[in-house]
Structure formats: C-alpha cells, structure tokens
C-alpha cells in the first residue's frame, strides 16, 4: 500500500502544467463513475482473476467500455450525463446476480512496487516528451499538423451531436470509428474540463497508464504469478522493436509502443489498446475451462466479452481482425485437440464477425476502404525516400525482423502449453498484425496501426516467457537483457554516422546482432549452463535489443512535430472560442479557409481547426481526410468537394456578398456565423454593411447573420381629417431612444420647419424593436 500513492502522485506531476482542479476532476470522475462501478461489473460478471488489484484495473477498462456504449444512447435522448447512471447500474447488477465468494490471492508488495516504478517512468516521460508533442497555447499552438485539430473536431462533434456528422464539412454522416471521442465527450460533460485539454493531454495520459497497468494485470492472469506484473509493466514502458533506425523514424515507421507518436496523436488507437486488454482477459477465462463452471457463469462471461467486442468495433478497425486471427487459431487448436467443435471460441468468433459487419454497414456506411492489398509497398516508400528500389529487400528484412523480435519471449513459455490455447492465440494474433502491415498499403500509412495493435501481443508473449523462469534464473535474464541493450545501442549509434547510402541499411542491425551473438557466447561459457540456460540467455539478449531503440527514438519527438507555417490563423483560436461562447450547439459556421496552409500553391484541403475549437459544425472547411494530410500530402489523392454548388456559394459570400446569397446561406443551409481569414482574402467592403461584425483579432473576423428587416416595418395609418399625417417619425440606425412623456412647447405660435404645414395632433409613439447594427435603413412614409 505504501507504493500505491505513486499513482496519483505521478498523475498530478505529469499534468502539472494545468490548473490542479483539472487532473483532480478527471481523477474523481475516473474513480467514482468508471473505476468503482466497472470493478463491480467485472467481478460480478466474470468471477474475477484471483487478484483484486488486477480486477480493479481490468474493471476500470471495462467501465470505459460500458460508458462508451451508454453515452450515445443518452445523447439520442438529449441526456449527455448518462454515465452518471453507471454507479446505480453497478449496484443493481451486484445485488441482482448471485453472490459467490471469489478466490483471492494477495499481491506481493514488490510486485506492486515494480508496477509503480513503471508508472513513475511513464509519468516522467509524459512530462518530458508526451505533453510537448501538441502545444495548447502560445505561438506554437498555431502550427500543428492536421491530426490534432482533426481529433479535436471529432471530439467536439460527439460532445454536441449524435449520430455524428462530418463537423468540418457539414452534410454527410461521419463514416468513421468514434467511440474514443464519445468517451472524451462524456468526460467533458462530467468534469467541465476544456475539450482540447482532455483530447491532447488528460485522456491520452490516462489511457497510457491504463495500458501499463492492464498489461500487468493480464500478465498475472496468463502466468498465475505475481512476478509477471512488474515484467509486463516494464516491457510496456521500455520495450519497442528494431525499426527505430534514423531512416525509419523519418518516414513514420516509428516504435510501436504506447510511447509512440501514433498512440498520442490517434485517440482511437490508444483507446483500443485499453479495451483490448480486458477482452484478452475474458477470452482467457472463457477458453480455459474452470471445473464446476455453470451455464449462468458462462453466460455472464459472454456478456462481458460482447460489451468489449461492441466497444472495440466502434473504436478502431485494426483491432478486431487481429483478435479474430488469434481466436481462429485457438479455436482450431481446441477443436482438433478435443475432437469436437469448441463452442466457446466459435461463439466469440461469431460475435466478432457480427460486430464487424454491423459496424461496417451502420457506422462506416459500407464505404470502400482506402487500404489496398499491395504486398511490400510499405517498404517501397522507405526505399524511394532513400534513393532506390534495390534497397527494398534489405529494408523489408530489417523492419520485419524488428517487428517480430518482441515475440521471441514465447520460446521460454513452458507452463500449461499443451492444454492452454492462449500462447497460440497471442502468437497467431501477433503474426497476423505483422503480415497485415507488410501486405496492405494506404497512402496515410494506416496499415502500420496493425503493428501498433500487435505490439501488446508481443509484450504479453515476452512477459509470459520471462515470468516462467525459476527464481534463480532471473539474475541471468537481467544480465542478458543488458547485453542486448548494449548491442542494439552500439549498432544504432554507428547507424547515425555510417549509414548514408542505400547500401548500408542493414549495417547497424548486423553490428548489433554480431555483438549480441558474442555476448550470448561469452556469457553462456562463463555460466557453463544447461541447454535451458543457453536458451534463456539468447532469448533475453534478443528481448534486450528492443529496448534501446525506443529510448533513443523518443528523443526525436522531444520537439513537437510542427509545421513551418501557421496552419491556424493568428487569432483563430480566440475567434472560434468566441463563437462557441455566443452560439448554440446547432449553429453553423461558414468560412473562406479550406487549405491547411493559407495561400499555398498546392492546397491541402485538410483544415479542421474551426470546428475543433468552436465545437460547432462548419459548412465547408476541409474535406481531404481520406488519407493523412501534412506537408508531404501526395498529388492526386485529394478529391473535389462533393457538392460544388455549396462550395461555390460559400466562397462567393466572402468575395462578392449580396443580400440574396447571404440569405440563401442563412435560410437554405442554416449558417449563422461567418469566419473570415484575411490571409486568404480581404474582407469585402459591403460585408460589414450586410452583416454584423462581432469579433476581430489577428487575421480573423467573425460576422453574424441576421434575418433582413421587413420591407415596411411600420404600416401606414389612416390620414387625419386635415390631410396631415398623424406622426412623422425619424428612425436612426440602431435602437432608437426618445424622451418619455408628452413634449411641451412655448406659448405663442409655433414655428415649423420648411415643408411642414402643421404640428402633429397626437403624441408620437415609437416601436421598441431593436435592429442589429449594420442595417442600412427603413422605408419612409410620404406625408
């Protein structure tokens, strides 16, 4: 218990740049709304893992899955606080289901302390690197790539609307996985933390910690040993692969651990890893038959798996195929071994297929994926960058070897292999992830997310192997790991200076493997160990080679990957927030900004920041997020906007505004706000006259559209008997102000201005209607 305060301490230290109430509010929400109810759900439905701390971690992840499914249901009924029902639901489930005494094993203090060390390292890394990747304030906040504003736009859309539409190009339903964003939206409603802080800071860090803790919990479940907890947590933090060479890092083939750029800038990827861990755990409980398991207990396990499968199907498309590949291998193994169909694995497989098909047709709209079957093209891009196709084979071998390396820990697994399908489940899923990344291709390199999903499989395999060692062998494994770290560090160090042409891509790897082989030989001869000892040394050295590249490559990301230009207009964030404060959730914005870089010769139509910071839909801002949008966006990938008439009218308003086209924009499309970026075009002279300028800062102007005044707001009255009009009002622009009461005049004959034959016979009365500034005038009456 002494080490447990490290967790909240690490939480507040990592988020120290924000006011203390923000991390405190999220921590309270996570504890009361998610962790406690989720743990109650998990232990009642699954029967527990045997360790309370493991159940608490896996239950927290399960609570997030429940919230992910509950929030959209609440939004359909205009109840964004639906997650507040989770404590009551948990109490109901806890009381409704039959009670049974769960077997408990104490978690040794050293196991908990080891996990907390990994948590502390993760927090320190987040302070140094993770929290610096996406600036939230200052001049740097105006220069993000397209990922951060895109994520913020989707989070804003799920905060205010369901079903969601494309927020930065209004008019089409959102055909993408959105579960991670609705979890962010739900926490925003419950904590009132600003959406950008949640999206770019608090939620990613929480998911990283849950990945570290979840890997520790699943490692304990796999091995039945508490020593697996610190091993799994440590490998999740420091392990990586061999792809982090300089030429690979520069081309976005990054380390695939939770501490990679892809995890921090892609909320669905990070959230899917959090949900995948309890799904692997419940799959283990299902496929490992416990004696005396009743049909009711089995049904509750399937319910738990179904909730997680549904949440994952809505979160990330690369996760369930890998899980299904491992499940298929386990089903074949169990079926062949028993001589009859294994119904448990079959039911899980059918559930995955049903969830995937339903998601494809309902959520994704049956659209054709941009990921194509192109074997080896992933490595072609690296070869082209480095000057020739002759290096493709070498690059492919180096990268694939790096991807495979974390799984060598499976060679040390020795417990219950003959009757346990889970090692085969992990190996098959891991190899499927690597194969998918090698044979599929997308212009945005989205095929690499298969490997990022498969990374946790490699961590669990290595954990299972190392945790299977006898107590006296751990010291040997520690020394061998250090040999591997030294080997790969030296090989990569030489790579920076020596590898400058297409002929030496494998040089660093060869140097590292030669040093590793020498280290294995020398250490093995010194110990004079058995065959098992030699295998232990070799595997541990290879696992050690996955550590140093991760540490070194993180230095590459210490500086935020910002653009050289301001993709967000100066003053744009303040302008968008002004609209958010002064508008309703259904208000629509029109803008003249479509390109990621204003006035660029090659327009990358990937601008999304207005809808992100305003949390409002934009009629047409950007529409190119079919593939990645950044400074290297390839020609020919972007398509024209799907409604050219809408785009023409939108742009015409900012170049040649008339009362007619403004009214069409307001009445036909529902636009209430105009955001003009002066970097794109100067404001037309008559725009101020036809609309109301509400905000101006930097290069941004914000206008609000109002209905036009009626043609004759003051109808004619019946003429007086003398033929003189009963009143002659004068109407200044804006809200008229007049003295109260009846005017008095001096005695004698009054004098009137020229053209006025007589004084009005009654006290003038004036309307109290207020007209917006900028109205040009009203119809006058003829005396």
């Amino acid at each position: 218990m002494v080490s447990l305060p490290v967790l909240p301490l690490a939480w507040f230290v990592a988020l120290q740049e924000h006011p203390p109430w923000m991390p405190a509010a999220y921590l309270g929400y996570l504890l009361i709304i998610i962790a406690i109810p989720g743990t109650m759900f998990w232990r009642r439905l699954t029967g527990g893992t045997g360790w309370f701390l493991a159940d608490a971690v896996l239950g927290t992840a399960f609570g997030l899955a429940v919230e992910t499914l509950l929030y959209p249901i609440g939004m359909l009924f205009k109840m964004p606080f639906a997650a507040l029902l989770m404590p009551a639901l948990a109490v109901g489930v806890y009381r409704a289901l039959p009670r049974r005494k769960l077997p408990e094993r104490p978690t040794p203090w050293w196991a908990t302390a080891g996990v907390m060390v990994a948590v502390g390292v993760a927090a320190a890394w987040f302070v140094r690197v993770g929290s610096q990747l996406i600036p939230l304030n200052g001049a740097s906040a105006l220069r993000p790539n397209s990922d951060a504003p895109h994520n913020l736009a989707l989070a804003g859309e799920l905060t205010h609307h369901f079903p969601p539409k494309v927020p930065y190009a209004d008019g089409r339903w959102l055909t993408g996985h959105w579960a991670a964003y609705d979890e962010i939206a739900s926490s925003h409603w419950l904590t009132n933390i600003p959406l950008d802080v949640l999206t770019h800071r608090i939620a990613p860090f929480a998911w990283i910690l849950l990945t570290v803790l979840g890997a520790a919990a699943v490692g304990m479940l796999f091995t039945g040993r508490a020593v697996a907890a610190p091993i799994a947590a440590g490998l999740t933090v420091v392990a990586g692969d061999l792809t982090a060479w300089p030429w690979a890092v520069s081309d976005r083939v990054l380390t695939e651990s939770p501490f990679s750029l892809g995890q921090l800038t892609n909320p669905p990827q990070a959230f899917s890893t959090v949900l995948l861990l309890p799904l692997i755990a419940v799959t283990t409980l299902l496929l490992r038959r416990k004696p005396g398991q009743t049909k009711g207990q089995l049904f509750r396990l399937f319910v738990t798996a179904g909730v997680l499968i549904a949440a994952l199907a809505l979160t990330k498309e690369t996760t369930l195929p890998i899980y299904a590949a491992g499940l298929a291998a386990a089903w074949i193994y169990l079926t062949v071994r028993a001589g009859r169909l294994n119904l448990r694995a079959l039911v899980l497989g059918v559930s995955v297929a049903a969830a995937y098909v339903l998601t494809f047709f309902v959520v994704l709209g049956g659209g054709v994926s941009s990921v194509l079957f192109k074997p080896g093209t992933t490595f072609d891009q690296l070869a082209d960058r480095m000057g020739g196709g002759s290096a493709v084979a070498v690059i492919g071998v180096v990268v694939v070897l790096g991807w495979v390396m974390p799984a060598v820990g499976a060679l040390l697994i020795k417990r219950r292999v003959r009757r346990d399908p889970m090692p085969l489940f992990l190996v098959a899923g891991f190899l499927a992830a690597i194969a998918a990344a090698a044979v599929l291709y997308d212009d945005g390199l989205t095929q690499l997310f298969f490997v990022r999903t498969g990374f946790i499989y490699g961590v669990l395999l290595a954990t299972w192997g190392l945790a299977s060692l006898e107590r006296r062998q751990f010291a040997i494994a520690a020394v061998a790991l250090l040999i591997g770290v030294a080997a790969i560090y030296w090989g990569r160090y030489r790579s920076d200076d020596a590898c400058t042409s297409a002929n030496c891509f494998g040089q660093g790897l060869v140097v590292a493997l030669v040093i590793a082989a020498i280290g294995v030989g020398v250490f093995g001869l010194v110990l004079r160990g058995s065959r098992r000892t030699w295998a232990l040394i070799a595997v541990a050295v290879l696992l050690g080679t996955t550590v140093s590249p991760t540490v070194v490559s993180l230095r590459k990301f210490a500086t935020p990957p910002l653009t050289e230009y301001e993709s967000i207009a100066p003053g744009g964030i303040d302008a968008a927030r002004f609209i958010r404060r002064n508008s309703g959730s259904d208000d629509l914005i029109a803008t003249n900004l479509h390109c990621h870089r204003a006035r660029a010769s090659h327009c990358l139509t990937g601008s999304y920041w207005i809808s992100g910071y305003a949390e409002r839909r934009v009629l047409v801002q950007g529409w190119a997020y079919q593939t990645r949008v950044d400074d290297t966006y390839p020609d020919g990938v972007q398509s024209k906007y799907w409604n050219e008439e809408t785009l023409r009218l939108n742009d015409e308003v900012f170049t040649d505004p008339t009362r007619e086209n403004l009214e069409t924009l307001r009445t036909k499309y529902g636009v209430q706000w105009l955001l003009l970026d002066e970097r794109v075009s100067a404001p037309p002279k008559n725009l101020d006259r036809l609309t109301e300028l509400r905000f101006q800062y930097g290069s941004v102007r914000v206008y609000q559209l109002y209905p036009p005044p009626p043609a004759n707001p003051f109808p004619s009255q019946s003429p007086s008997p003398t033929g003189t009009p009963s009143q002659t009002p004068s109407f200044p622009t804006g809200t008229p102000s007049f003295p109260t009461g009846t005017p008095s005049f001096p005695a004698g004959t009054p004098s009137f201005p020229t053209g006025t034959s007589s004084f009005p016979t009654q006290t003038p009365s004036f309307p109290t209607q207020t007209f917006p500034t900028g109205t040009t005038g009203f119809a006058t009456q003829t005396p």
Side-chain angles (χ1 to χ4, degrees):
M1 296 298 292
V2 174
S3 64
L4 288 180
V6 172
L7 192 58
L9 180 63
W11 175 259
F12 282 97
V13 168
L15 300 172
Q16 59 185 295
E17 64 173 315
H18 305 291
W21 73 266
M22 291 185 183
Y26 191 90
L27 195 59
Y29 143 81
L30 193 66
L31 179 65
I32 298 173
I33 306 299
I34 304 299
I36 294 177
T39 303
M40 295 171 68
F41 283 133
W42 176 265
R43 286 171 68 83
R44 228 7 161 215
L45 292 172
T46 67
T49 62
W51 288 276
F52 176 77
L53 291 181
D55 288 339
V57 173
L58 297 174
T60 301
F62 183 75
L64 291 173
V66 174
E67 182 194 31
T68 297
L69 301 179
L70 189 62
Y71 175 77
I73 297 174
M75 286 295 291
L76 288 175
F77 297 96
K78 307 299 182 183
M79 296 171 56
F81 299 99
L84 290 176
L85 298 174
M86 286 182 58
L89 291 175
V91 172
V93 169
Y94 193 83
R95 293 180 63 87
L97 296 180
R99 300 183 181 182
R100 19 181 210 133
K101 185 174 179 58
L102 300 177
E104 296 289 346
R105 282 175 283 182
T107 305
W109 67 267
W110 48 265
T112 306
V115 174
M116 290 303 107
V117 169
V119 168
V121 173
W125 173 87
F126 194 81
V127 172
R128 175 67 180 89
V129 179
S131 63
Q132 308 300 317
L133 292 178
I134 304 175
L136 299 181
N137 302 297
S140 298
L142 303 179
R143 298 189 289 115
N145 61 16
S146 60
D147 286 334
H150 181 258
N151 294 330
L152 188 58
L154 295 184
E157 172 67 10
L158 268 299
T159 298
H160 300 287
H161 302 98
F162 194 87
K165 289 186 176 181
V166 178
Y168 40 81
D170 184 56
R172 284 187 171 183
W173 297 110
L174 180 64
T175 54
H177 295 80
W178 39 257
Y181 302 105
D182 76 29
E183 197 284 322
I184 293 173
S186 179
S187 61
H188 171 66
W189 281 107
L190 297 176
T191 63
N192 204 33
I193 299 174
L195 206 56
D196 58 337
V197 177
L198 277 173
T199 306
H200 302 319
R201 290 289 188 278
I202 294 181
F205 182 54
W207 295 341
I208 284 176
L209 292 183
L210 285 174
T211 300
V212 173
L213 298 173
V218 176
M220 294 169 69
L221 176 62
F222 276 154
T223 63
R225 304 182 67 184
V227 70
I231 294 175
L235 289 177
T236 305
V237 171
V238 302
D241 50 50
L242 296 180
T243 64
W245 305 94
W247 47 268
V249 171
S250 64
D251 286 273
R252 300 184 61 245
V253 184
L254 312 176
T255 57
E256 311 309 332
S257 71
F259 301 146
S260 69
L261 188 61
Q263 294 280 124
L264 288 170
T265 60
N266 193 285
Q269 176 60 38
F271 192 56
S272 68
T273 306
V274 174
L275 300 183
L276 179 62
L277 287 166
L279 179 58
I280 293 175
V282 76
T283 303
T284 305
L285 296 175
L286 274 168
L287 299 187
R288 286 177 175 175
R289 292 178 176 269
K290 286 185 178 180
Q293 198 171 48
T294 66
K295 292 183 178 180
Q297 295 169 353
L298 189 62
F299 175 76
R300 290 193 287 274
L301 284 171
F302 279 121
V303 169
T304 306
V307 170
L308 292 165
I309 288 171
L312 272 171
L314 297 172
T315 301
K316 190 69 178 176
E317 62 185 341
T318 57
T319 306
L320 283 183
I322 296 173
Y323 170 80
L327 191 63
W331 175 72
I332 294 173
Y333 171 77
L334 291 172
T335 298
V336 172
R337 186 174 181 274
R340 64 179 185 273
L341 286 178
N342 184 275
L343 294 180
R344 298 188 181 196
L346 184 62
V347 171
L348 286 175
V350 171
S351 301
V352 170
Y356 207 84
V357 169
L358 187 64
T359 303
F360 177 75
F361 286 105
V362 176
V363 178
L364 303 181
V368 178
S369 174
S370 61
V371 180
L372 304 175
F373 182 76
K374 292 184 176 181
T377 309
T378 299
F379 314 121
D380 284 340
Q381 189 181 46
L382 295 177
D384 293 340
R385 177 71 178 268
M386 298 305 295
S390 60
V392 173
V394 177
I395 290 176
V397 170
V398 172
V399 173
V400 171
L401 278 177
W403 285 341
V404 171
M405 198 64 69
V408 296
L411 299 176
L412 297 178
I413 299 176
K414 64 177 182 179
R415 301 181 64 200
R416 301 179 59 188
V417 173
R418 292 184 179 179
R419 59 182 182 273
D420 190 349
M422 297 313 294
L424 184 60
F425 168 88
L426 293 177
V427 170
F430 189 76
L431 295 179
I434 294 174
V439 302
L440 300 178
Y441 181 75
D442 177 71
D443 288 315
L445 295 182
T446 56
Q447 74 274 11
L448 294 179
F449 286 103
F450 285 106
V451 178
R452 294 185 178 122
T453 300
F455 173 84
I456 201 66
Y457 285 73
V459 168
L460 293 175
L461 285 169
T463 298
W464 200 338
L466 292 175
S468 299
L469 302 177
E470 299 175 6
R471 182 175 299 180
R472 59 184 178 81
Q473 294 176 321
F474 283 112
I476 299 174
V479 175
L481 287 170
L482 292 177
I483 293 174
V485 171
I488 196 66
Y489 182 82
W490 180 251
R492 194 178 191 281
Y493 170 76
R494 286 184 53 81
S495 175
D496 275 322
D497 299 326
C499 185
T500 57
S501 68
N503 299 322
C504 63
F505 286 124
Q507 175 179 308
L509 178 60
V510 171
V511 171
L513 293 181
V514 167
I515 295 176
I518 294 174
V520 170
V522 172
F523 192 39
L525 290 175
V526 169
L527 293 179
R528 295 181 180 180
S530 63
R531 186 181 304 174
R532 173 74 177 173
T533 302
W534 278 91
L536 164 63
I537 294 173
V539 171
V541 167
L542 291 176
L543 289 176
T545 60
T546 70
V547 174
S548 186
T550 302
V551 177
V552 175
S553 64
L554 291 180
R555 299 174 187 170
K556 300 281 186 180
F557 310 136
T559 301
L562 305 177
T563 59
E564 297 179 355
Y565 55 86
E566 292 176 336
S567 57
I568 298 178
I573 296 178
D574 299 278
R577 288 172 174 167
F578 171 84
I579 295 176
R580 184 187 65 201
R581 292 192 302 267
N582 293 275
S583 63
S585 59
D586 293 328
D587 283 13
L588 192 63
I589 306 170
T591 181
N592 65 335
L593 178 65
H594 309 303
C595 305
H596 193 253
R597 181 176 187 175
R599 294 183 179 179
S601 57
H602 176 49
C603 177
L604 316 176
T605 55
S607 183
Y608 317 108
W609 59 267
I610 297 177
S611 58
Y613 286 101
E615 299 176 25
R616 301 293 181 264
R617 291 172 175 169
V618 182
L619 181 63
V620 185
Q621 185 182 0
W623 62 87
Y625 216 93
Q626 296 177 351
T627 58
R628 182 178 173 82
V629 180
D630 56 21
D631 293 332
T632 60
Y633 198 92
D635 295 328
V637 177
Q638 301 177 95
S639 58
K640 293 183 179 180
Y641 186 62
W642 49 79
N643 192 327
E644 295 186 7
E645 175 60 26
T646 300
L647 181 61
R648 183 198 61 78
L649 177 64
N650 179 93
D651 294 344
E652 187 178 87
V653 164
F654 294 95
T655 57
D656 185 23
T658 63
R659 173 58 63 189
E660 290 74 17
N661 57 28
L662 285 172
E663 269 303 284
T664 302
L665 206 63
R666 187 184 68 83
T667 57
K668 182 178 179 180
Y669 296 98
V671 173
Q672 292 88 10
W673 300 87
L674 305 179
L675 190 149
L676 183 143
D677 187 351
E678 296 181 2
R679 301 176 305 167
V680 178
S681 61
K685 295 181 179 179
N686 57 340
L687 192 58
D688 287 347
R689 183 173 59 84
L690 296 173
T691 62
E692 181 182 3
L693 178 63
R694 294 291 306 277
F695 183 90
Q696 182 175 1
Y697 184 60
S699 65
V700 177
R701 294 187 176 202
V702 175
Y703 302 86
Q704 189 169 4
L705 297 181
Y706 292 98
N712 189 8
F714 305 105
S716 301
Q717 300 183 7
S718 302
S720 63
T722 59
T724 306
S726 58
Q727 56 182 349
T728 311
S730 174
F731 305 103
T733 301
T735 305
S737 174
F738 300 92
T740 59
T742 304
S744 60
F745 300 91
T749 304
S751 59
F752 302 97
T754 304
T756 305
S757 58
S758 62
F759 192 79
T761 59
Q762 64 182 42
T763 303
S765 62
F766 299 96
T768 60
Q769 182 180 2
T770 301
F771 299 96
T773 305
T775 306
T776 56
F778 309 93
T780 58
Q781 298 175 347
T782 303

